[in-house]
């Protein structure tokens, strides 16, 4: 699915989103981007914020659609609203799109279902080409949305002259390597299966991380909740001490995301805080991070690819963990109770 998302967008060394027919002059005047979505699409949008802000050097806000549509956001015609939706039929997200359009702001949809309402009504549409996604809890929808946001970031930076030829070449090179790296992580699922067998009876599971690793924690926690029915929550690692740490007791499972290099030391000190209160810590980290292995109980290591694309590998063990825990609990992994693939009502 990731190969299909990337394939038509890199040609002769250039990022190509020309089918969007975005006006280059207008792009150069772009002053702010709002990313709006629900559920896992919102979590993918959070990854996009870091990519877009760091490359385009403009403010990027990420909003949950059911919040965006009622808070009278400040929108002007040099803003772009990016709407993310796998189905293209989520009621709250459609309403957010219509709110943006009613305010005269350009809208760009990242959608998987061709011809869906959001695809038809947005000014510009970037399809993820992931193929039909049947399971209610999205996996390839999320990862291909993250890839689409990376492609959009590189395209906008290329058109605005904000990435050098070397940076563009490196981005293309790592994107073209990504599908194989994903296949390797997915094939290496024995350890995830073993850990799921140890923890599938947990009553509470906490996910912690900083920056991008917090955004990943949100998606890992949602995936687990949706299909295993185990209570779970994600916390910014630096926020634990302001309350939530009171819930940590002997044997509480804390899954720590430590895949970003810049905040690694800070997260390690948060890991030590929870372990001192009896938590069992499973870290998702870069493979061969032996120092980290010494301060946690279990690790799930992933290969390095690049700062920007690391989250797409890091989410995989969390998706697999949720899958195995749910299966071990005898749940219907594809059709979890109370949930719909697309929530077309408010
Ligand atoms: C939820 C789905 O109902 O809606 C999630 O269970 C999904 O998987 C969310 O992320 C948003 O759906 P969509 O189709 O707008 O991406």
């Amino acid at each position: 699915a990731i190969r299909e998302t990337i394939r038509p967008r890199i040609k002769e060394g250039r990022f190509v989103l020309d089918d969007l027919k975005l006006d280059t002059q207008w792009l150069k005047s772009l002053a702010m981007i709002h990313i709006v979505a629900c559920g896992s699409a919102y979590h993918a949008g959070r990854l996009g914020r870091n990519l877009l802000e760091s490359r385009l050097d403009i403010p990027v806000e990420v909003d949950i659609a059911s919040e965006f549509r009622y808070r009278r956001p400040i929108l002007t015609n040099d803003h772009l609203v990016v709407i993310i939706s796998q189905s293209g039929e989520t009621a709250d997200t459609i309403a957010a799109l219509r709110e943006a359009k009613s305010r005269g702001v350009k809208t760009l949809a990242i959608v998987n279902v061709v011809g869906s309402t959001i695809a038809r009504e947005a000014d510009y549409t970037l399809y993820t080409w992931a193929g039909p996604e049947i399971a209610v809890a999205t996996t390839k929808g999320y990862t291909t949305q993250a890839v689409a946001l990376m492609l959009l970031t590189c395209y906008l930076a290329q058109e605005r002259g904000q990435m050098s030829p070397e940076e563009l070449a490196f981005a293309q090179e790592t994107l073209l390597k990504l599908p194989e790296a994903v296949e390797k992580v997915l094939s290496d699922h024995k350890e995830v299966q073993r850990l799921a067998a140890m923890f599938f009876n947990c009553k509470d599971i906490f996910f912690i991380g900083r920056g991008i690793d917090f955004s990943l924690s949100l998606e890992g926690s949602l995936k687990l909740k949706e299909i295993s029915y185990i209570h779970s929550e994600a916390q910014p690692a630096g926020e634990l001490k302001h309350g939530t740490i009171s819930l940590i007791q002997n044997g509480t499972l804390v899954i720590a995301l430590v895949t970003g290099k810049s905040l690694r030391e800070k997260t390690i000190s948060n890991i030590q805080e929870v372990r001192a209160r009896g938590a069992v810590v499973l870290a998702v980290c870069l493979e061969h991070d032996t120092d980290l292995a010494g301060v946690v109980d279990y690790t799930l290591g992933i290969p390095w690819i690049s700062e920007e694309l690391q989250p797409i590998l890091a989410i995989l063990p969390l998706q697999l963990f949720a899958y195995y825990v749910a299966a071990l609990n005898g749940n219907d992994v594809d059709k979890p109770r109370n949930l719909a693939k697309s929530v077309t009502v408010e």
Side-chain angles (χ1 to χ4, degrees):
I2 289 174
R3 267 191 196 93
E4 292 311 304
T5 309
I6 294 169
R7 184 202 309 274
R9 280 91 190 223
I10 295 179
K11 282 199 185 77
E12 285 108 46
R14 279 191 74 250
F15 284 91
V16 178
L17 295 187
D18 299 344
D19 49 330
L20 293 183
K21 295 186 178 42
L22 284 159
D23 173 77
T24 306
Q25 282 320 310
W26 180 74
L27 284 184
K28 291 191 190 312
S29 70
L30 186 57
M32 179 165 188
I33 294 176
H34 304 259
I35 301 174
V36 186
C38 298
S40 299
Y42 163 71
H43 296 154
R46 289 176 61 97
L47 301 180
R49 175 189 49 200
N50 290 61
L51 294 171
L52 287 161
E53 263 189 359
S54 60
R55 286 290 180 191
L56 303 188
D57 206 20
I58 58 174
V60 179
E61 274 198 3
V62 196
D63 241 324
I64 288 172
S66 54
E67 293 292 308
F68 178 84
R69 60 184 290 204
Y70 295 115
R71 70 173 177 81
R72 296 290 303 155
I74 309 290
L75 298 171
T76 52
N77 61 15
D78 54 355
H79 289 187
L80 174 66
V81 173
V82 174
I83 298 281
I84 308 175
S85 174
Q86 189 283 132
S87 64
E89 301 299 344
T90 299
D92 286 321
T93 311
I94 292 172
L97 167 63
R98 290 175 179 164
E99 165 69 13
K101 290 190 72 171
S102 73
R103 307 278 295 281
V105 183
K106 286 273 177 272
T107 54
L108 185 152
I110 295 177
V111 187
N112 192 41
V113 176
V114 178
S116 57
T117 303
I118 289 173
R120 278 185 285 106
E121 295 189 10
D123 297 296
Y124 311 103
T125 301
L126 177 54
Y127 282 116
T128 43
W129 300 127
E133 184 174 59
I134 311 305
V136 165
T138 179
T139 46
K140 67 179 182 178
Y142 171 89
T143 47
T144 53
Q145 284 160 1
V147 171
L149 284 160
M150 174 68 175
L151 290 165
L152 179 63
T153 300
C154 293
Y155 177 74
L156 294 181
Q158 171 189 276
E159 296 303 295
R160 287 163 48 105
Q162 291 176 296
M163 273 173 84
S164 68
E166 295 73 26
E167 287 172 320
L168 290 165
F170 179 72
Q172 287 165 22
E173 181 197 322
T174 47
L175 275 163
L176 294 172
K177 278 184 198 160
L178 181 63
E180 199 180 327
V182 167
E183 281 162 349
K184 179 181 177 303
V185 175
L186 287 175
S187 64
D188 191 9
H189 55 248
K190 284 277 168 292
E191 183 59 8
V192 183
Q193 219 166 350
R194 186 179 79 85
L195 292 167
M198 292 171 67
F199 297 115
F200 75 99
N201 280 320
C202 284
K203 292 291 164 277
D204 299 286
I205 298 179
F206 293 82
F207 288 73
I208 63 171
R210 287 173 179 260
I212 288 269
D213 279 329
F214 170 56
S215 295
L216 285 166
S217 298
L218 286 167
E219 179 57 13
S221 176
L222 178 62
K223 246 341 56 59
L224 182 71
K225 258 182 279 197
E226 281 181 309
I227 61 179
S228 75
Y229 315 148
I230 291 175
H231 168 257
S232 171
E233 62 183 271
Q235 279 284 317
E239 191 61 10
L240 271 170
K241 54 185 170 300
H242 301 301
T244 301
I245 202 162
S246 69
L247 296 178
I248 304 298
Q249 48 191 338
N250 251 346
T252 302
L253 177 61
V254 173
I255 297 178
L257 276 292
V258 198
T259 66
K261 293 185 173 176
S262 57
L263 296 165
R264 181 175 170 287
E265 296 314 313
K266 304 294 278 180
T267 306
I268 287 177
S269 61
N270 300 131
I271 287 170
Q272 287 161 335
E273 279 166 23
V274 293
R275 284 194 90 206
R277 289 159 177 84
V280 172
V281 178
L282 157 55
V284 176
C285 56
L286 298 184
E287 57 193 7
H288 317 313
D289 188 341
T290 44
D291 298 359
L292 183 69
V295 296
V296 298
D297 298 280
Y298 306 98
T299 59
L300 283 170
I302 53 171
W304 174 254
I305 184 162
S306 75
E307 195 74 32
E308 282 98 345
L309 297 180
Q310 205 58 41
I312 295 160
L313 298 185
I315 196 64
L316 302 173
L318 301 180
Q319 292 174 335
L320 289 169
F321 183 76
Y323 169 81
Y324 288 120
V325 167
L328 285 163
N329 279 297
N331 297 355
D332 181 341
V333 175
D334 288 335
K335 293 185 187 60
R337 69 185 183 205
N338 308 343
L339 296 180
K341 180 61 188 162
S342 176
V343 180
T344 55
V345 294
E346 287 195 33

